[in-house]
Amino acid sequence: MRVAVVGAGVAGLTAALRLQQAGHVCDVHERWPGLGGMAATLDVGGGHLLERYYHHWFTSDRHIVALCEELGVGPIDWHPSSTAFFLEGRSWPFTSPLDLLRFSPLSLRDRLRMGLAVLRLQRAGRPVTEYEHETARAWILRQMGERPYERVWGPLLRGKFGSRADDISMAWLWGKFMLRRQLEGKEAREELLGYPRDSFEPLWTALQQRIEAGGGRVLIDRPVARIERAERSGFTVHAGAPQSFRRGHDPRAFALAPEGPEHYDAVLATVPSDIFRGLLHGDLAAAIGDDYLGRLGRAEYHAALCLLLELDRPFSPYYWTNIADPQIPFVGLVEHTNLVDPARYDGRRFLYVANYVAPDDPLLALDRDALLAHYLPGLRRVRPDLDPSWIRASWLFREPAGQPIVTVGYHERIPPLQTGVPGLVLANTTQIYPEDRGTNYAVRLGGEAAQELLLSVGAAAAGPA
């Protein structure tokens, strides 16, 4: 088959690799002038690359580590992590169980109750289905009490999900405790996080080379603007013109490429649900049906807003600082060079200022300098002696579909990978469940999507039983 893969993020590139390995030819169309999706890199100068959004791997992230091994990409370095919680005017270490016992914004009773609640959840080993019809807020209040919710979990949920914080399913938090943060043995005292020695870019390059070796193409700055059913079979795919990314994310705003459409036997899309719906033209939406389209329409996202700063000195002693101060207009500080030795970057230091905001939040309209000015008072609450002269450079990135909003009953609204139209498959972050989105699970999703595409086409070719 000749397959169009829409999106050169982790899932799209992995899916194309798996289809290529099965003997098919894939063209991967990407809106952004780079590979990797939210894990795409930027050149920060001096021959160094960094991801546009902060990334690391957990020791439980076996899918992406296995992919690196398969492609001969590496090495992956594993570094001790350090986490803090900013509250009451200071950063509290929050890496080990001992740090929890020292967390004086909560009473000793509340600290013990919070730790025991997490331990009981992990040791009980109950399936996620037992938590899908309850909010995280209700579970925390019942199992930990009001004060831990007010001081710790409430601020974290509001930072991630804003006004939807009280609606978030306990299934989402279950995934954090059960699938990523369940540390045992030595790692219970010192969590290790992985980062590829030469950034994520060698992995994207290796995937591109494998896809192209199979006769396919990886087309950056060349999104898909429209998908139609072909007259006889397969699909007609209209590409967007170069520089379409400057028109935003909506494919309906793209000018069409001058060379005209191409025919494909199948299409595997890895774009957000609303973008996928905007790609469907002619009778394709009707063929998918109202139920599937309704699931696409009910998908909710918060935007990721990430300001990357280069500093001339360390900002804090921690890699990851969660912000629980309501007067600070961002949710986290991720100091990359407190995980990876700054010597890797000739002594330069990099800090991500992380935020998740509603799609209509005014912060999304600010340019880099205006957002930095808005953030400076909050940065000074964490580091009172901060002077703007410390900032050597800055970069700003926005992703409208940064975080799916996982509310109660979410599992019932997830669209299947197979759209119901043979040869047309959708794979995006809304379908990563009960885990949270991330590069590791995107690798798994890409493999599953490739398999579903082959099953879909095979079933259609076989005809009715």
Side-chain angles (χ1 to χ4, degrees):
M1 292 188 300
R2 189 163 183 253
V3 182
V5 176
V6 188
V10 186
L13 291 171
T14 304
L17 172 69
R18 300 307 179 210
L19 290 169
Q20 181 265 330
Q21 290 171 333
H24 307 288
V25 177
C26 295
D27 287 348
V28 184
H29 292 261
E30 171 56 41
R31 182 190 71 96
W32 185 255
L35 304 177
M38 287 188 68
T41 61
L42 73 147
D43 185 346
V44 295
H48 301 297
L49 298 176
L50 274 181
E51 288 66 45
R52 295 184 297 154
Y53 301 88
Y54 46 93
H55 281 84
H56 60 251
W57 295 329
F58 296 96
T59 52
S60 58
D61 286 347
R62 59 185 178 85
H63 301 289
I64 197 158
V65 170
L67 179 63
C68 288
E69 292 173 350
E70 175 186 347
L71 297 175
V73 173
I76 301 168
D77 294 324
W78 295 92
H79 309 277
S81 176
S82 56
T83 304
F85 200 84
F86 187 83
L87 182 65
E88 296 184 348
R90 59 164 288 188
S91 295
W92 302 84
F94 222 79
T95 302
S96 69
L98 188 59
D99 290 331
L100 174 60
L101 292 176
R102 293 168 175 162
F103 186 65
S104 63
L106 294 177
S107 69
L108 179 59
R109 180 180 181 276
D110 285 337
R111 285 174 254 167
L112 291 172
R113 188 177 178 188
M114 188 167 83
L116 289 172
V118 175
L119 192 61
R120 283 196 302 268
L121 176 75
Q122 292 176 335
R123 290 188 172 177
R126 295 190 179 96
V128 68
T129 52
E130 295 195 17
Y131 303 94
E132 289 176 330
H133 296 285
E134 180 176 26
T135 65
R137 179 180 185 273
W139 186 89
I140 293 166
L141 288 174
R142 187 176 69 254
Q143 297 291 336
M144 299 182 184
E146 186 172 348
R147 193 72 170 167
Y149 185 79
E150 290 178 351
R151 306 310 305 271
V152 177
W153 300 106
L156 291 178
L157 288 168
R158 284 190 294 274
K160 194 88 164 179
F161 299 107
S163 63
R164 304 306 304 278
D166 288 352
D167 303 321
I168 297 305
S169 172
M170 181 55 198
W172 182 83
L173 194 58
W174 177 95
K176 296 290 188 182
F177 289 144
M178 297 298 294
L179 303 174
R180 281 195 164 175
R181 309 298 294 181
Q182 191 169 4
L183 307 179
E184 298 177 350
K186 179 182 177 182
E187 205 175 350
R189 299 184 300 274
E190 185 180 63
E191 180 184 40
L192 298 176
L193 300 177
Y195 185 79
R197 185 168 297 177
D198 297 315
S199 85
F200 282 44
E201 192 65 30
L203 178 56
W204 314 146
T205 300
L207 284 163
Q208 177 180 359
Q209 290 172 346
R210 290 288 186 95
I211 293 163
E212 291 176 343
R217 297 177 295 171
V218 177
L219 307 167
I220 62 171
D221 190 17
R222 188 57 61 92
V224 169
R226 184 189 306 166
I227 305 170
E228 300 171 337
R229 269 183 155 176
E231 289 187 8
R232 295 185 179 179
S233 65
F235 302 88
T236 300
V237 173
H238 299 258
Q243 301 290 300
S244 290
F245 71 94
R246 300 190 183 280
R247 300 191 178 199
H249 291 76
D250 188 342
R252 294 168 294 187
F254 300 161
L256 297 181
E259 58 267 28
E262 296 189 61
H263 179 270
Y264 291 92
D265 302 297
V267 175
L268 193 157
T270 64
V271 292
S273 295
D274 56 335
I275 302 301
F276 179 65
R277 192 169 182 176
L279 291 172
L280 307 174
H281 279 249
D283 65 347
L284 198 51
I288 287 176
D290 291 340
D291 178 71
Y292 197 94
L293 294 177
R295 291 174 185 241
L296 298 179
R298 287 190 292 274
E300 298 179 82
Y301 298 93
H302 268 185
L305 182 63
C306 190
L307 184 65
L308 173 59
L309 304 177
E310 180 185 347
L311 304 175
D312 67 1
R313 68 197 70 193
F315 184 82
S316 82
Y318 305 105
Y319 167 57
W320 190 289
T321 301
N322 290 303
I323 303 296
D325 185 331
Q327 297 185 54
I328 295 179
F330 47 82
V331 303
L333 296 169
V334 183
E335 197 159 353
H336 177 76
T337 39
N338 282 347
L339 182 72
V340 179
D341 192 330
R344 183 77 53 79
Y345 307 100
D346 301 321
R348 298 163 67 189
R349 295 182 175 272
F350 296 94
L351 170 71
Y352 294 93
V353 185
N355 219 348
Y356 290 93
V357 297
D360 58 352
D361 194 296
L363 291 182
L364 292 170
L366 298 182
D367 63 20
R368 180 185 59 189
D369 293 336
L371 186 65
L372 176 56
H374 183 72
Y375 281 172
L376 272 174
L379 289 167
R380 284 199 177 106
R381 285 183 70 84
V382 181
R383 179 71 188 264
D385 61 340
L386 171 67
D387 189 279
S389 65
W390 298 2
I391 302 171
R392 290 178 168 174
S394 60
W395 299 264
L396 175 61
F397 301 100
R398 309 174 187 88
E399 172 54 53
Q403 172 66 55
I405 299 177
V406 184
T407 53
V408 169
Y410 180 87
H411 63 291
E412 298 169 349
R413 303 188 296 272
I414 299 173
L417 296 174
Q418 293 199 25
T419 63
V421 173
L424 180 62
V425 163
L426 173 68
N428 65 32
T429 56
T430 68
Q431 298 156 319
I432 297 176
Y433 179 86
E435 303 90 353
D436 200 9
R437 83 284 181 275
T439 54
N440 176 65
Y441 298 115
V443 169
R444 185 187 67 187
L445 180 67
E448 292 172 346
Q451 185 63 32
E452 289 295 327
L453 182 67
L454 297 176
L455 290 173
S456 168
V457 173

